[in-house]
mmCIF file of all heavy atoms in Angstrom:
data_model
loop_
_atom_site.group_PDB
_atom_site.id
_atom_site.type_symbol
_atom_site.label_atom_id
_atom_site.label_comp_id
_atom_site.label_asym_id
_atom_site.label_seq_id
_atom_site.Cartn_x
_atom_site.Cartn_y
_atom_site.Cartn_z
ATOM 1 N N ALA C 330 -11.061 6.789 30.877
ATOM 2 C CA ALA C 330 -9.829 6.170 31.337
ATOM 3 C C ALA C 330 -8.750 7.237 31.491
ATOM 4 O O ALA C 330 -7.988 7.242 32.453
ATOM 5 C CB ALA C 330 -9.376 5.089 30.344
ATOM 6 N N LEU C 331 -8.721 8.185 30.527
ATOM 7 C CA LEU C 331 -7.746 9.265 30.621
ATOM 8 C C LEU C 331 -8.001 10.156 31.826
ATOM 9 O O LEU C 331 -7.085 10.597 32.498
ATOM 10 C CB LEU C 331 -7.781 10.106 29.343
ATOM 11 C CG LEU C 331 -6.988 9.553 28.181
ATOM 12 C CD1 LEU C 331 -7.162 10.434 26.967
ATOM 13 C CD2 LEU C 331 -5.515 9.459 28.544
ATOM 14 N N MET C 332 -9.299 10.413 32.110
ATOM 15 C CA MET C 332 -9.620 11.258 33.272
ATOM 16 C C MET C 332 -9.200 10.557 34.557
ATOM 17 O O MET C 332 -8.691 11.188 35.488
ATOM 18 C CB MET C 332 -11.111 11.547 33.306
ATOM 19 C CG MET C 332 -11.553 12.271 32.072
ATOM 20 S SD MET C 332 -12.474 13.719 32.538
ATOM 21 C CE MET C 332 -13.196 14.093 31.007
ATOM 22 N N LEU C 333 -9.427 9.249 34.595
ATOM 23 C CA LEU C 333 -8.970 8.490 35.762
ATOM 24 C C LEU C 333 -7.469 8.632 35.910
ATOM 25 O O LEU C 333 -6.949 8.820 37.016
ATOM 26 C CB LEU C 333 -9.307 7.001 35.570
ATOM 27 C CG LEU C 333 -10.680 6.547 36.016
ATOM 28 C CD1 LEU C 333 -10.778 5.047 35.820
ATOM 29 C CD2 LEU C 333 -10.897 6.899 37.475
ATOM 30 N N GLY C 334 -6.777 8.543 34.748
ATOM 31 C CA GLY C 334 -5.338 8.690 34.769
ATOM 32 C C GLY C 334 -4.938 10.045 35.321
ATOM 33 O O GLY C 334 -4.034 10.158 36.139
ATOM 34 N N ALA C 335 -5.684 11.082 34.897
ATOM 35 C CA ALA C 335 -5.390 12.440 35.376
ATOM 36 C C ALA C 335 -5.549 12.496 36.890
ATOM 37 O O ALA C 335 -4.740 13.104 37.593
ATOM 38 C CB ALA C 335 -6.322 13.441 34.716
ATOM 39 N N LEU C 336 -6.566 11.835 37.403
ATOM 40 C CA LEU C 336 -6.801 11.826 38.861
ATOM 41 C C LEU C 336 -5.663 11.115 39.593
ATOM 42 O O LEU C 336 -5.138 11.634 40.583
ATOM 43 C CB LEU C 336 -8.117 11.129 39.185
ATOM 44 C CG LEU C 336 -9.398 11.907 38.937
ATOM 45 C CD1 LEU C 336 -10.613 11.073 39.253
ATOM 46 C CD2 LEU C 336 -9.414 13.164 39.801
ATOM 47 N N THR C 337 -5.301 9.909 39.102
ATOM 48 C CA THR C 337 -4.268 9.152 39.828
ATOM 49 C C THR C 337 -2.936 9.884 39.796
ATOM 50 O O THR C 337 -2.213 9.861 40.787
ATOM 51 C CB THR C 337 -4.056 7.740 39.234
ATOM 52 O OG1 THR C 337 -4.420 7.780 37.863
ATOM 53 C CG2 THR C 337 -4.892 6.724 39.929
ATOM 54 N N ILE C 338 -2.639 10.534 38.665
ATOM 55 C CA ILE C 338 -1.373 11.251 38.600
ATOM 56 C C ILE C 338 -1.366 12.388 39.615
ATOM 57 O O ILE C 338 -0.344 12.712 40.195
ATOM 58 C CB ILE C 338 -1.118 11.759 37.161
ATOM 59 C CG1 ILE C 338 -0.716 10.569 36.282
ATOM 60 C CG2 ILE C 338 -0.043 12.818 37.136
ATOM 61 C CD1 ILE C 338 -0.674 10.857 34.818
ATOM 62 N N GLN C 339 -2.539 12.943 39.877
ATOM 63 C CA GLN C 339 -2.651 14.016 40.883
ATOM 64 C C GLN C 339 -2.651 13.446 42.294
ATOM 65 O O GLN C 339 -2.799 14.163 43.272
ATOM 66 C CB GLN C 339 -3.937 14.812 40.669
ATOM 67 C CG GLN C 339 -4.023 15.482 39.323
ATOM 68 C CD GLN C 339 -3.510 16.911 39.352
ATOM 69 O OE1 GLN C 339 -2.891 17.310 40.317
ATOM 70 N NE2 GLN C 339 -3.786 17.667 38.308
ATOM 71 N N GLY C 340 -2.549 12.124 42.409
ATOM 72 C CA GLY C 340 -2.511 11.507 43.725
ATOM 73 C C GLY C 340 -3.885 11.280 44.330
ATOM 74 O O GLY C 340 -4.016 11.170 45.547
ATOM 75 N N ILE C 341 -4.905 11.219 43.511
ATOM 76 C CA ILE C 341 -6.259 11.000 44.042
ATOM 77 C C ILE C 341 -6.706 9.598 43.639
ATOM 78 O O ILE C 341 -6.650 9.235 42.461
ATOM 79 C CB ILE C 341 -7.235 12.030 43.481
ATOM 80 C CG1 ILE C 341 -6.843 13.420 43.960
ATOM 81 C CG2 ILE C 341 -8.667 11.715 43.890
ATOM 82 C CD1 ILE C 341 -7.453 14.521 43.167
ATOM 83 N N GLN C 342 -7.118 8.789 44.615
ATOM 84 C CA GLN C 342 -7.635 7.478 44.304
ATOM 85 C C GLN C 342 -9.121 7.611 43.973
ATOM 86 O O GLN C 342 -9.906 7.961 44.819
ATOM 87 C CB GLN C 342 -7.471 6.535 45.510
ATOM 88 C CG GLN C 342 -6.047 6.138 45.785
ATOM 89 C CD GLN C 342 -5.498 5.182 44.749
ATOM 90 O OE1 GLN C 342 -6.234 4.697 43.898
ATOM 91 N NE2 GLN C 342 -4.202 4.917 44.807
ATOM 92 N N PRO C 343 -9.510 7.325 42.723
ATOM 93 C CA PRO C 343 -10.916 7.434 42.367
ATOM 94 C C PRO C 343 -11.724 6.353 43.096
ATOM 95 O O PRO C 343 -11.173 5.354 43.515
ATOM 96 C CB PRO C 343 -10.945 7.162 40.867
ATOM 97 C CG PRO C 343 -9.539 7.062 40.440
ATOM 98 C CD PRO C 343 -8.701 6.801 41.630
ATOM 99 N N GLY C 344 -13.003 6.604 43.240
ATOM 100 C CA GLY C 344 -13.857 5.659 43.930
ATOM 101 C C GLY C 344 -14.833 6.380 44.819
ATOM 102 O O GLY C 344 -14.814 7.621 44.890
ATOM 103 N N PRO C 345 -15.685 5.642 45.518
ATOM 104 C CA PRO C 345 -16.739 6.291 46.301
ATOM 105 C C PRO C 345 -16.182 7.248 47.360
ATOM 106 O O PRO C 345 -16.837 8.215 47.721
ATOM 107 C CB PRO C 345 -17.481 5.124 46.945
ATOM 108 C CG PRO C 345 -16.732 3.888 46.595
ATOM 109 C CD PRO C 345 -15.769 4.187 45.539
ATOM 110 N N GLN C 346 -14.951 6.970 47.801
ATOM 111 C CA GLN C 346 -14.415 7.810 48.870
ATOM 112 C C GLN C 346 -14.084 9.217 48.410
ATOM 113 O O GLN C 346 -13.910 10.129 49.234
ATOM 114 C CB GLN C 346 -13.173 7.143 49.501
ATOM 115 C CG GLN C 346 -11.930 7.117 48.624
ATOM 116 C CD GLN C 346 -11.988 5.998 47.595
ATOM 117 O OE1 GLN C 346 -12.978 5.280 47.464
ATOM 118 N NE2 GLN C 346 -10.914 5.858 46.828
ATOM 119 N N VAL C 347 -14.037 9.430 47.075
ATOM 120 C CA VAL C 347 -13.735 10.770 46.563
ATOM 121 C C VAL C 347 -14.757 11.776 47.086
ATOM 122 O O VAL C 347 -14.437 12.878 47.484
ATOM 123 C CB VAL C 347 -13.716 10.783 45.021
ATOM 124 C CG1 VAL C 347 -13.675 12.216 44.491
ATOM 125 C CG2 VAL C 347 -12.508 10.024 44.513
ATOM 126 N N MET C 348 -16.036 11.334 47.125
ATOM 127 C CA MET C 348 -17.105 12.234 47.557
ATOM 128 C C MET C 348 -16.909 12.757 48.971
ATOM 129 O O MET C 348 -17.216 13.900 49.268
ATOM 130 C CB MET C 348 -18.459 11.502 47.495
ATOM 131 C CG MET C 348 -19.061 11.497 46.136
ATOM 132 S SD MET C 348 -20.504 10.445 46.093
ATOM 133 C CE MET C 348 -21.730 11.593 46.653
ATOM 134 N N THR C 349 -16.392 11.901 49.849
ATOM 135 C CA THR C 349 -16.234 12.321 51.227
ATOM 136 C C THR C 349 -14.867 12.926 51.498
ATOM 137 O O THR C 349 -14.747 13.908 52.238
ATOM 138 C CB THR C 349 -16.466 11.133 52.186
ATOM 139 O OG1 THR C 349 -15.724 10.023 51.666
ATOM 140 C CG2 THR C 349 -17.936 10.794 52.266
ATOM 141 N N GLN C 350 -13.832 12.354 50.837
ATOM 142 C CA GLN C 350 -12.489 12.842 51.122
ATOM 143 C C GLN C 350 -12.138 14.105 50.352
ATOM 144 O O GLN C 350 -11.399 14.954 50.851
ATOM 145 C CB GLN C 350 -11.454 11.746 50.806
ATOM 146 C CG GLN C 350 -11.449 10.651 51.855
ATOM 147 C CD GLN C 350 -10.636 9.468 51.407
ATOM 148 O OE1 GLN C 350 -9.945 9.514 50.400
ATOM 149 N NE2 GLN C 350 -10.743 8.375 52.149
ATOM 150 N N ARG C 351 -12.625 14.191 49.132
ATOM 151 C CA ARG C 351 -12.333 15.373 48.315
ATOM 152 C C ARG C 351 -13.627 15.992 47.830
ATOM 153 O O ARG C 351 -13.873 16.074 46.627
ATOM 154 C CB ARG C 351 -11.442 15.003 47.121
ATOM 155 C CG ARG C 351 -10.145 14.301 47.463
ATOM 156 C CD ARG C 351 -9.198 15.215 48.220
ATOM 157 N NE ARG C 351 -8.768 16.348 47.411
ATOM 158 C CZ ARG C 351 -7.595 16.382 46.776
ATOM 159 N NH1 ARG C 351 -6.772 15.380 46.851
ATOM 160 N NH2 ARG C 351 -7.257 17.435 46.079
ATOM 161 N N PRO C 352 -14.485 16.474 48.757
ATOM 162 C CA PRO C 352 -15.784 16.977 48.311
ATOM 163 C C PRO C 352 -15.653 18.132 47.321
ATOM 164 O O PRO C 352 -16.480 18.278 46.415
ATOM 165 C CB PRO C 352 -16.465 17.435 49.601
ATOM 166 C CG PRO C 352 -15.386 17.575 50.596
ATOM 167 C CD PRO C 352 -14.305 16.622 50.200
ATOM 168 N N GLU C 353 -14.596 18.942 47.487
ATOM 169 C CA GLU C 353 -14.470 20.095 46.579
ATOM 170 C C GLU C 353 -14.310 19.624 45.155
ATOM 171 O O GLU C 353 -14.762 20.258 44.206
ATOM 172 C CB GLU C 353 -13.323 21.020 47.033
ATOM 173 C CG GLU C 353 -11.921 20.686 46.540
ATOM 174 C CD GLU C 353 -11.320 19.490 47.265
ATOM 175 O OE1 GLU C 353 -11.974 18.915 48.171
ATOM 176 O OE2 GLU C 353 -10.202 19.089 46.911
ATOM 177 N N LEU C 354 -13.667 18.450 44.988
ATOM 178 C CA LEU C 354 -13.453 17.905 43.654
ATOM 179 C C LEU C 354 -14.765 17.415 43.065
ATOM 180 O O LEU C 354 -15.165 17.763 41.956
ATOM 181 C CB LEU C 354 -12.466 16.746 43.754
ATOM 182 C CG LEU C 354 -11.870 16.276 42.457
ATOM 183 C CD1 LEU C 354 -10.734 17.180 42.055
ATOM 184 C CD2 LEU C 354 -11.377 14.852 42.605
ATOM 185 N N PHE C 355 -15.469 16.604 43.829
ATOM 186 C CA PHE C 355 -16.701 15.993 43.341
ATOM 187 C C PHE C 355 -17.762 17.038 43.074
ATOM 188 O O PHE C 355 -18.286 17.142 41.960
ATOM 189 C CB PHE C 355 -17.200 14.978 44.385
ATOM 190 C CG PHE C 355 -18.352 14.161 43.908
ATOM 191 C CD1 PHE C 355 -18.162 13.023 43.169
ATOM 192 C CD2 PHE C 355 -19.665 14.533 44.230
ATOM 193 C CE1 PHE C 355 -19.228 12.258 42.726
ATOM 194 C CE2 PHE C 355 -20.734 13.785 43.796
ATOM 195 C CZ PHE C 355 -20.520 12.649 43.052
ATOM 196 N N TRP C 356 -18.071 17.837 44.069
ATOM 197 C CA TRP C 356 -19.152 18.816 43.904
ATOM 198 C C TRP C 356 -18.742 19.967 43.020
ATOM 199 O O TRP C 356 -19.558 20.534 42.280
ATOM 200 C CB TRP C 356 -19.641 19.308 45.269
ATOM 201 C CG TRP C 356 -20.217 18.183 46.062
ATOM 202 C CD1 TRP C 356 -19.651 17.534 47.119
ATOM 203 C CD2 TRP C 356 -21.467 17.520 45.820
ATOM 204 N NE1 TRP C 356 -20.454 16.505 47.546
ATOM 205 C CE2 TRP C 356 -21.582 16.468 46.768
ATOM 206 C CE3 TRP C 356 -22.494 17.690 44.895
ATOM 207 C CZ2 TRP C 356 -22.668 15.625 46.817
ATOM 208 C CZ3 TRP C 356 -23.576 16.841 44.939
ATOM 209 C CH2 TRP C 356 -23.667 15.819 45.898
ATOM 210 N N GLY C 357 -17.468 20.339 43.049
ATOM 211 C CA GLY C 357 -16.978 21.392 42.171
ATOM 212 C C GLY C 357 -17.128 20.979 40.716
ATOM 213 O O GLY C 357 -17.567 21.751 39.864
ATOM 214 N N LEU C 358 -16.793 19.728 40.421
ATOM 215 C CA LEU C 358 -16.902 19.227 39.052
ATOM 216 C C LEU C 358 -18.353 19.228 38.605
ATOM 217 O O LEU C 358 -18.681 19.676 37.494
ATOM 218 C CB LEU C 358 -16.306 17.813 38.969
ATOM 219 C CG LEU C 358 -16.406 17.175 37.585
ATOM 220 C CD1 LEU C 358 -15.555 17.915 36.584
ATOM 221 C CD2 LEU C 358 -15.995 15.706 37.639
#
Side-chain angles (χ1 to χ4, degrees):
Chain C
L331 277 177
M332 299 232 195
L333 273 183
L336 283 178
T337 27
I338 286 170
Q339 299 266 13
I341 296 163
Q342 289 288 352
Q346 71 280 4
V347 169
M348 277 172 86
T349 46
Q350 285 169 9
R351 304 293 295 261
E353 86 285 0
L354 194 81
F355 187 85
W356 297 105
L358 178 66

